[in-house]
Amino acid sequence: MTASENADPAQAATALLHEVSAAVGAITRHLSVHQVLEVIVSSARRLVGADYAAIGIPDDEGGFAEFITDGIGEEQRLAIGPLPRQHGMLAAILAESEPIRLDDLRRDPRFQWWPKAHPTMAALLGVPIRDCAPDLGTRTECLRTIGIVVLTNDLGKPGFSESDTELIELLASHAAIAITNARLYERSRELTVVEERNRLARELHDAVMQRLFSLRLSARAARKLAPTDPEAAADRLGEVETLAAEAIAELRAVIVELRPADLDAHGLVETLRRHVTLLDRLHDTEVTFEVRSPVDLSRDGEVEVLRLVQEALSNAFRHARARHVAVTVETERITIADDGSGFDAAEAATRGLGLLSMRERAKALGGDLVLQTAPGEGTVVTLELEDPADPEEADRD
């Protein structure tokens, strides 16, 4: 039961309308499929006050291409194991065109088993996400199930109501549109990335390569002139210096234009997760990653955050000699904490730790960089982000 249901009917209806509006607005703001799924699952759980929520996108091999949970901690999620298969209740929800609502899913003959670390659940609400489109008449035709939303409560908690079902069905209908749009956007971005890389390749050839070729000719001429005409050789070496500087400037301009491809393919949070997972595999240092709430940033903002986090992690590995590093992502802040050697914050500006660069990135985001450290006490770098817009405030504007 949501908090809004405890108020009088008029207030509850208004509060619920704002909650649904905020959820739908958050879903449609994102252009990465993974980000869309994260917002859907957190919104669904919040709207009906469920203990757990999950969203699954099936693949063609009897499993799930994506299966994102909310309400289960990162450590427990890892203990549960790999993504589930299309069996038991999950298969039933995928197969049905209508929602499944049960007071105790364990008593249903379609239930099979849970992994050992899986929490015990009873009440269940499973809603298929259907790919629907209006036909030539007045009806709407649903072609296939593209995903499922699953909500559950702990043993002994109340079941889900008919109004809960209607609410999640409404959310699922918007989710289907958002997922489809996000997929189309990602495909268009893939084509755009290919076109952009081809353009950059042409620029590298037309600008940088030509300058490097000229630089090589000038250097060769200077070498030949050096024994007989040192003054002319010096002039040619001056040309070499100028051409080298121009080539460096051109190359830097091209590099600045590059946007990490993973951000377009997976979004910020998943890109950070993959980066942390890679570091954890490559180093003896234990690196953990936790997402507590979704992050909503512009495309440029995502690049700034990614670079800032990479810089902070690089410091933890290169300078702090940390045994454990933890990256925590929340809507209003991102924290990188390590148990390394720490340092004197007052002398940080002279130690080449990239703090100036990180502060500039934080400022570009409209946020702030907070540093907590001392010799021998580890380091905590916190990127404070701007508060997300309040949907109710936006409605009043």
Side-chain angles (χ1 to χ4, degrees):
M1 178 179 292
T2 60
S4 61
E5 292 178 354
N6 294 325
D8 65 67
Q11 290 179 332
T14 301
L16 184 59
L17 179 62
H18 279 298
E19 289 177 8
V20 174
S21 176
V24 171
I27 291 171
T28 55
R29 277 201 304 272
H30 292 281
L31 295 174
S32 155
V33 172
H34 194 87
Q35 287 177 320
V36 167
L37 299 180
E38 286 183 332
V39 175
I40 292 169
V41 72
S42 63
S43 297
R45 179 177 171 232
R46 178 175 55 82
L47 284 173
V48 300
D51 290 323
Y52 310 103
I55 184 168
I57 304 297
D59 59 23
D60 296 326
E61 300 176 354
F64 286 88
E66 297 266 13
F67 197 86
I68 300 173
T69 61
D70 193 61
I72 296 176
E74 187 77 8
E75 184 176 344
Q76 186 175 18
R77 186 182 66 81
L78 293 174
I80 291 173
L83 298 183
R85 305 291 296 170
Q86 296 176 27
H87 65 81
M89 292 306 306
L90 299 180
I93 300 169
L94 280 169
E96 295 290 335
S97 59
E98 298 296 327
I100 295 177
R101 183 155 51 98
L102 303 170
D103 288 332
D104 193 338
L105 66 95
R106 300 169 303 164
R107 297 178 182 176
D108 191 283
R110 294 167 291 186
F111 172 73
Q112 293 182 358
W113 57 277
W114 283 318
K116 184 177 180 180
H118 199 283
T120 300
M121 303 170 177
L124 173 138
L125 173 59
V127 177
I129 301 173
R130 304 278 285 168
D131 184 9
C132 299
D135 61 16
L136 296 177
T138 58
R139 296 179 305 171
T140 297
E141 181 183 7
C142 292
L143 305 175
R144 62 193 175 97
T145 296
I146 61 174
I148 56 175
V149 178
V150 185
L151 299 154
T152 58
N153 282 338
D154 283 324
L155 184 65
K157 295 289 185 67
F160 298 98
S161 66
E162 183 64 30
S163 62
D164 290 334
T165 305
E166 293 174 356
L167 195 58
I168 300 304
E169 282 188 290
L170 174 63
L171 188 70
S173 66
H174 287 281
I177 298 170
I179 291 170
T180 301
N181 288 343
R183 283 174 171 169
L184 290 173
Y185 176 79
E186 287 188 350
R187 288 171 188 166
S188 69
R189 285 299 307 164
E190 288 173 5
L191 294 175
T192 302
V193 168
V194 171
E195 293 174 357
E196 183 67 7
R197 285 178 176 172
N198 289 337
R199 182 186 69 80
L200 291 173
R202 289 193 299 270
E203 287 192 4
L204 283 170
H205 180 270
D206 295 341
V208 180
M209 291 301 295
Q210 289 186 15
R211 292 187 189 281
L212 291 176
F213 181 71
S214 298
L215 187 151
R216 181 183 180 188
L217 292 178
S218 296
R220 182 180 297 174
R223 180 170 59 83
K224 291 181 178 180
L225 288 169
T228 59
D229 193 344
E231 186 175 345
D235 290 340
R236 287 303 180 99
L237 288 175
E239 293 178 8
V240 168
E241 184 178 4
T242 300
L243 288 168
E246 291 174 350
I248 290 172
E250 292 277 1
L251 190 57
R252 281 177 175 168
V254 171
I255 291 173
V256 167
E257 293 184 40
L258 290 174
R259 169 182 166 89
D262 279 355
L263 285 178
D264 290 317
H266 308 293
L268 174 63
V269 173
E270 183 61 17
T271 298
L272 288 173
R273 187 195 304 277
R274 290 173 181 233
H275 184 66
V276 166
T277 300
L278 178 62
L279 290 177
D280 187 52
R281 291 174 180 171
L282 293 177
H283 299 274
D284 293 335
T285 302
E286 180 186 13
V287 194
T288 60
F289 185 78
E290 181 183 4
V291 181
R292 295 178 180 172
S293 53
V295 179
D296 185 14
L297 293 169
S298 66
R299 294 182 73 249
D300 290 341
E302 288 181 340
V303 176
E304 296 291 353
V305 170
L306 176 61
R307 297 306 189 207
L308 189 152
V309 173
Q310 288 175 330
E311 179 70 32
L313 288 171
S314 175
N315 287 341
F317 282 101
R318 288 188 298 154
H319 304 293
R321 299 183 298 279
R323 296 182 304 276
H324 177 82
V325 182
V327 179
T328 306
V329 176
E330 299 176 81
T331 303
E332 297 178 7
R333 67 186 56 82
I334 296 176
T335 305
I336 306 93
D338 69 66
D339 62 356
S341 57
F343 55 92
D344 186 343
E347 300 177 0
T350 64
R351 293 191 54 189
L353 296 179
L355 293 177
L356 178 60
S357 172
M358 287 193 283
R359 292 192 190 281
E360 288 177 348
R361 293 187 187 280
K363 185 178 179 180
L365 290 163
D368 191 21
L369 191 77
V370 179
L371 181 67
Q372 295 174 283
T373 187
E377 296 185 10
T379 302
V380 179
V381 177
T382 303
L383 170 61
E384 297 285 356
L385 300 168
E386 282 188 307
D387 292 343
D390 185 341
E392 294 187 14
E393 290 291 340
D395 289 341
R396 288 194 289 268
D397 290 342

